[in-house]
């Protein structure tokens, strides 16, 4: 919209364009102030407003444009000091503030340290900055009139008294409360630090890869802690948005069954190309996918999950989704639940990760047009996407419930929803539904009962589950397996209205585990 004769002020509604990458309103006749709502355009990379009659100051909200690369406000009537946050925008490569009425000291950091990347000529009240900007040095402030002696004494006494009280409060707090663990916070990492921690993104450190990037194992230089570093493939369309969406989701959530982010990095590499990555806590036991579908090599063949381990993992995943759907300040839909996005720590506790497609639920419900657009471009993963999304229905928590149901069936059958056997009108949902309850033993994953499983209880589980003539405890345990599969069938119903809420799923899975553990306890007592 540049080089026209547009008049009036820039509407505040421009802040609703969350996916806007470039806005060029240069060389028009716009006046008024830059709307603070522009700071909501999180995807904005290029903003050109030069050659207008805009006044006022640079709004503080523009500090939220973390991905901004070009900012041109030249040839306007803007005034005030140049805000400090402009020197902290890491992706900013071009800044033109020339021919305005800015005043005050110019920073020597960030983009202001590169005279070829910034232009501030035509602002006679500016001073300081690096020598290459050829600005006058900033004069010292004139000495103030000496204060009255009585005033100085009174103020000094008040300050000393306030400091004494503050010290007492600090000492009391330090002796009566524990400081939060230092691992909960970590300063931002530079590109050089990322390269060093991954040994130059070596193939040996590559953990996995997806459509939007690759994950590397890394080691923090300060404390030697192992981390997982997700490097975004910015050549892939949608990767930058995925990075922003994941940051937006992760910064507002915290739960024991969600993958914890340590820090993020958005900068340029040594060749001057954009670079973005996320640093997560390292999960020693890898993804659930590798446990459910081990490769042919010897190392992976040792991975076996017993029934109770699978049940515990299912509870962890359900608890994470229940938190996202019902206990976040703004409910979140994950939109891409699958085994490879569930990671296991050293204690085999499950953590749900990869929020690159996550959607804030209130945002969807309050803006039907945006909700529809999200559904249309939703990629997700084949086999786990709820059928209603293919009909352009809105993203909803019930979509996550469907994905969880498919995942639950996969966990207990050992078959992917994309298995070759599932074609024509046969799906994993129908495959299990037809087998329940009498033929449940025919469809469960045989490795769950394998004698070589890492769980010492597996042989007992196998004896109980497979012995259809056993009395009491045997039938109780078989009921547990069938009950778990029925939850998967219910959650993966093609009709959203027939699916369970995640809060109900969590309660039912806990009941199944309690029943299973009680049957084991009574069995041991019998042989004592």
């Amino acid at each position: 919209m540049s080089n026209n004769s547009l008049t009036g002020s820039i509407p505040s509604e421009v802040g609703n364009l969350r996916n806007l990458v470039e806005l060029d309103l240069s060389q028009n006749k716009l006046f008024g102030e830059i709307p603070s709502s522009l700071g909501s355009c999180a995807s904005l990379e290029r903003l050109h407003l030069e050659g207008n009659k805009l006044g006022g100051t640079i709004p503080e909200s523009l500090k939220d444009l973390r991905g901004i690369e070009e900012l041109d406000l030249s040839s306007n009537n803007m005034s005030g000091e140049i805000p400090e946050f402009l020197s902290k925008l890491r992706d900013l490569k071009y800044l033109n503030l020339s021919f305005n009425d800015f005043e005050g000291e110019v920073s020597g950091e960030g983009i202001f340290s590169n005279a070829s990347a910034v232009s501030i000529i035509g602002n006679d009240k500016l001073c300081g900055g690096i020598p290459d900007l050829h600005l006058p040095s900033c004069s010292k402030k004139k000495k103030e009139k000496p204060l009255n002696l009585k005033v100085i004494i009174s103020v000094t006494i008040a300050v000393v008294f306030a400091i004494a009280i503050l010290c007492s409060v600090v000492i009391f707090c330090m002796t009566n409360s524990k400081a939060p663990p230092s691992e909960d916070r970590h300063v931002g990492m530079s590109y050089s630090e990322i390269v060093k921690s991954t040994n130059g993104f070596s193939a040996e450190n590559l953990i996995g890869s997806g459509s939007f990037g690759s994950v590397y194992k890394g080691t923090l230089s300060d404390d030697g802690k192992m981390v997982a570093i997700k490097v975004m493939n910015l050549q892939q369309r949608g990767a930058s948005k995925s990075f922003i969406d994941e940051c937006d989701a992760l910064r507002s959530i915290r739960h024991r069954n969600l993958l914890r982010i340590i820090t993020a990095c958005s900068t340029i590499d040594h060749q001057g190309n954009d670079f973005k990555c996320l640093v997560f806590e390292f999960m020693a036991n890898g993804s659930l996918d590798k446990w459910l579908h081990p490769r042919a090599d010897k190392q992976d063949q040792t991975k076996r999950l017993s029934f109770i381990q699978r049940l515990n993992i299912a509870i962890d995943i359900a608890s994470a989704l229940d938190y996202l759907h019902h206990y976040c300040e703004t409910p979140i839909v994950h939109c891409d639940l699958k085994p490879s996005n569930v990671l296991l720590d050293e204690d085999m506790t499950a953590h749900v990760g990869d929020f690159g497609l996550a959607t804030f639920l209130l945002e969807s419900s309050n803006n039907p047009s945006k909700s529809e657009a999200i559904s249309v471009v939703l990629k997700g993963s084949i086999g786990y996407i709820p059928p209603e999304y293919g009909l352009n229905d809105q993203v909803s928590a019930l979509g996550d419930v469907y994905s969880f149901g498919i995942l639950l069936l996969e966990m207990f059958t050992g078959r992917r929803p994309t298995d070759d056997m599932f074609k024509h009108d046969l799906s994993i949902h129908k495959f299990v539904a037809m087998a329940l309850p009498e033929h449940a033993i025919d469809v469960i994953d045989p490795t769950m009962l394998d004698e070589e499983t890492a769980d010492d209880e597996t042989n007992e589980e196998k004896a109980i589950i497979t012995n259809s003539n056993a009395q009491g405890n045997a039938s109780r345990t078989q009921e547990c397996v069938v009950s778990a599969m029925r939850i998967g069938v219910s959650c993966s119903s093609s009709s959203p209205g027939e699916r369970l809420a995640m809060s109900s799923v969590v309660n039912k899975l806990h009941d199944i585990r309690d029943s299973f553990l009680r049957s084991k306890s009574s069995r041991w007592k019998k042989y004592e």
Side-chain angles (χ1 to χ4, degrees):
M1 293 183 283
S2 60
N3 295 287
N4 284 290
S5 299
L6 299 177
T7 60
S9 59
I10 301 174
S12 60
E13 287 79 7
V14 71
N16 295 329
L17 303 175
R18 302 292 175 87
N19 296 322
L20 184 65
V21 174
E22 179 175 0
L23 178 60
D24 189 347
L25 295 172
S26 59
Q27 306 303 327
N28 281 288
K29 299 178 181 179
L30 300 173
F31 54 83
E33 297 186 358
I34 297 175
S36 59
S37 60
L38 258 177
S40 300
C41 300
S43 300
L44 196 60
E45 296 180 357
R46 294 175 293 279
L47 177 59
H48 288 264
L49 301 177
E50 67 270 22
N52 284 286
K53 299 179 181 179
L54 298 172
T57 60
I58 299 176
E60 189 72 17
S61 63
L62 295 191
K63 67 181 181 181
D64 294 327
L65 301 179
R66 303 294 175 84
I68 193 74
E69 297 178 359
E70 298 177 10
L71 178 60
D72 194 336
L73 304 178
S74 61
S75 300
N76 278 289
N77 299 320
M78 302 190 69
S79 58
E81 295 186 352
I82 297 176
E84 182 70 19
F85 70 80
L86 288 177
S87 65
K88 298 178 181 178
L89 294 174
R90 294 185 178 182
D91 288 346
L92 190 58
K93 300 174 183 176
Y94 172 76
L95 175 65
N96 192 343
L97 303 177
S98 59
F99 300 106
N100 279 284
D101 195 25
F102 292 115
E103 61 185 43
E105 185 173 3
V106 176
S107 172
E109 300 178 352
I111 192 168
F112 294 101
S113 65
N114 183 2
S116 63
V118 62
S119 176
I120 51 176
I121 61 174
N123 291 279
D124 299 332
K125 300 176 185 177
L126 291 178
C127 62
I130 61 175
D132 291 343
L133 293 178
H134 306 293
L135 294 174
S137 58
C138 296
S139 60
K140 297 181 179 179
K141 294 182 178 179
K142 295 180 180 180
K143 293 184 178 180
E144 302 288 343
K145 184 179 179 181
L147 293 174
N148 184 284
L149 182 60
K150 291 182 179 180
V151 175
I152 295 176
I153 294 174
S154 300
V155 171
T156 303
I157 293 174
V159 170
V160 171
F161 182 71
I163 292 175
I165 293 177
L166 180 61
C167 290
S168 300
V169 172
V170 171
I171 292 173
F172 176 80
C173 292
M174 291 178 65
T175 56
N176 288 275
S177 64
K178 293 181 179 180
S182 59
E183 66 176 8
D184 285 347
R185 297 285 180 189
H186 197 280
V187 295
M189 297 177 67
S190 67
Y191 176 76
S192 296
E193 290 173 317
I194 297 292
V195 173
K196 182 179 178 181
S197 67
T198 60
N199 193 22
F201 306 110
S202 66
E204 292 79 9
N205 285 341
L206 181 64
I207 300 174
S209 58
S211 57
F212 289 143
S214 301
V215 181
Y216 294 86
K217 180 171 61 177
T219 305
L220 298 182
S221 57
D222 53 356
D223 57 8
K225 181 178 180 180
M226 296 289 291
V227 293
I229 302 175
K230 181 179 180 180
V231 179
M232 309 303 294
N233 175 17
L234 299 181
Q235 303 302 316
Q236 177 69 30
R237 183 178 180 182
S240 292
K241 183 180 184 302
S242 174
F243 174 82
I244 294 171
D245 290 345
E246 193 156 6
C247 288
D248 286 343
L250 291 171
R251 70 182 178 184
S252 61
I253 58 178
R254 188 172 183 84
H255 188 273
R256 67 180 294 269
N257 296 123
L258 294 175
L259 189 61
R260 186 173 66 86
I261 187 172
I262 296 175
T263 187
C265 177
S266 179
T267 183
I268 57 175
D269 61 20
H270 296 327
Q271 286 74 45
N273 300 314
D274 288 341
F275 177 85
K276 299 181 189 296
C277 77
L278 298 165
V279 182
F280 296 96
E281 56 183 342
F282 180 72
M283 296 286 106
N285 277 308
S287 72
L288 176 60
D289 186 82
K290 291 184 178 180
W291 285 83
L292 295 178
H293 312 288
R295 295 172 300 178
D297 59 74
K298 204 170 188 179
Q299 184 178 356
D300 267 10
Q301 282 300 313
T302 61
K303 294 183 176 180
R304 293 288 184 267
L305 293 173
S306 66
F307 169 70
I308 192 63
Q309 285 179 311
R310 296 176 198 231
L311 190 58
N312 284 333
I313 291 171
I315 291 174
D316 290 341
I317 300 170
S319 298
L321 292 178
D322 184 37
Y323 166 80
L324 293 174
H325 295 172
H326 302 114
Y327 297 101
C328 286
E329 183 177 350
T330 302
I332 295 174
V333 182
H334 186 277
C335 291
D336 196 19
L337 186 67
K338 57 183 177 180
S340 60
N341 286 341
V342 177
L343 302 171
L344 306 172
D345 64 19
E346 57 185 5
D347 299 319
M348 296 301 288
T349 300
H351 301 256
V352 176
D354 199 338
F355 285 77
L357 294 178
T359 301
F360 289 93
L361 200 55
L362 288 182
E363 183 181 82
S364 298
S365 60
N366 291 339
N367 192 341
S369 62
K370 178 163 186 173
S371 302
E372 187 172 324
I374 290 172
S375 297
V376 169
V377 301
L378 185 68
K379 294 188 181 301
S381 298
I382 296 174
Y384 304 91
I385 303 175
E388 65 269 20
Y389 285 8
L391 302 175
N392 294 341
D393 275 10
Q394 290 188 19
V395 170
S396 73
L398 291 175
D400 276 355
V401 175
Y402 177 89
S403 301
F404 174 80
I406 296 297
L407 174 57
L408 198 61
L409 297 181
E410 182 175 358
M411 288 175 63
F412 288 113
T413 64
R415 297 180 181 275
R416 300 183 189 273
T418 55
D419 194 291
D420 289 340
M421 71 173 292
F422 301 130
K423 52 187 176 181
H424 304 303
D425 64 338
L426 181 63
S427 63
I428 191 172
H429 169 89
K430 191 172 183 179
F431 174 69
V432 176
M434 291 189 301
L436 296 180
E438 290 84 2
H439 300 287
I441 197 66
D442 297 329
V443 299
I444 66 172
D445 184 354
T447 65
M448 188 164 62
L449 310 175
D450 198 306
E451 293 179 0
E452 295 179 2
T453 183
D455 194 318
D456 293 334
E457 300 161 342
T458 302
N459 288 336
E460 296 175 67
E461 294 173 15
K462 180 176 182 179
I464 292 175
I465 297 174
T466 57
N467 186 1
S468 59
N469 297 320
Q471 300 296 320
N473 290 333
S475 60
R476 174 68 61 85
T477 307
Q478 190 165 345
E479 287 175 8
C480 292
V481 181
V482 172
S483 297
M485 287 185 164
R486 276 181 169 155
I487 292 176
V489 170
S490 178
C491 290
S492 59
S493 171
S494 59
S495 172
E498 295 178 2
R499 299 171 196 160
L500 300 172
M502 288 313 303
S503 54
S504 177
V505 171
V506 172
N507 292 333
K508 288 179 180 293
L509 289 174
H510 273 291
D511 289 343
I512 294 172
R513 183 173 65 180
D514 292 344
S515 177
F516 180 78
L517 295 177
R518 279 196 302 269
S519 70
K520 281 198 343 179
S521 176
S522 62
R523 182 170 69 255
W524 279 112
K525 288 180 180 179
K526 179 180 179 181
Y527 290 102
E528 286 179 351

